Amino acid sequence: MADYDDFLDDAGATGHEFTGGEEHFTQDDFTGNDDFGTSNNEVEYINQAPVEEDPFAEAHTGPTASFISDDQAILKRQWEAEHEKQLLEKSKAEDGKRLSKRDGAAAELSGWYEQRRVLADKTSSSNRDAEKATLAGLESDLKSDQSWTRIVNLVDLQGTKDSHIRDITRFKQVLIQLKAHPLQKVL
């Protein structure tokens, strides 16, 4: 309350009302609770709290700077310049290695694509040749009078025995017999 009275005396206001610019204030505006739910007594207590000095204030100003001599500063600058040169050289060397590896990888990749294209061309040409041979064989089998020869050509008579495939040895024997001794046509 004393601060308020001192403020009134300094402002030259009389009574409980004073003007500060265009707004009119009363003593009631400075007493009681503020918008944050804090009473004036709490505000006065907070304002009277002792202010401690920052014990680390000197740490922020850099006290080590005063311990470096001019010779040491020159040596430090020279070292920093040399170090910067070394870092630049190292960076250029790394960039060169990276570019050479990238070029090598691009060449290897193009070689791989070329090999793949050649292999695909070979495979497709061999597949075309095999298809032509198969079609020629089918046409010749169709021209033959023996229908059993077409069937025998389609069945693998020399196949191995697998445990998961049905036993077709009797079927193979019949086909071999018919191939050797074809049936006579009945008129």
Side-chain angles (χ1 to χ4, degrees), residues 89-152:
E89 289 173 4
K90 189 175 182 180
S91 176
K92 287 179 183 178
E94 287 175 355
D95 289 343
K97 287 179 184 177
R98 187 180 315 116
L99 289 176
S100 67
K101 284 184 180 181
R102 187 175 292 160
D103 292 342
E108 187 176 332
L109 188 61
S110 64
W112 181 81
Y113 279 126
E114 181 64 25
Q115 287 178 347
R116 183 175 179 214
R117 187 187 58 77
V118 168
L119 183 63
D121 290 345
K122 274 186 194 178
T123 304
S124 62
S125 66
S126 66
N127 286 345
R128 273 189 242 112
D129 294 341
E131 184 179 8
K132 286 179 184 177
T134 303
L135 290 176
L138 286 175
E139 286 179 15
S140 68
D141 287 343
L142 287 175
K143 291 179 184 175
S144 118
D145 292 337
Q146 307 263 340
S147 61
W148 292 108
T149 55
R150 284 186 292 176
I151 296 171
V152 169

Side-chain angles (χ1 to χ4, degrees), residues 4-5 8-9 12-18 25-27:
Y4 173 72
D5 292 335
L8 287 178
D9 292 339
T14 57
H16 294 311
E17 201 171 303
F18 66 95
F25 298 100
T26 63
Q27 184 175 2

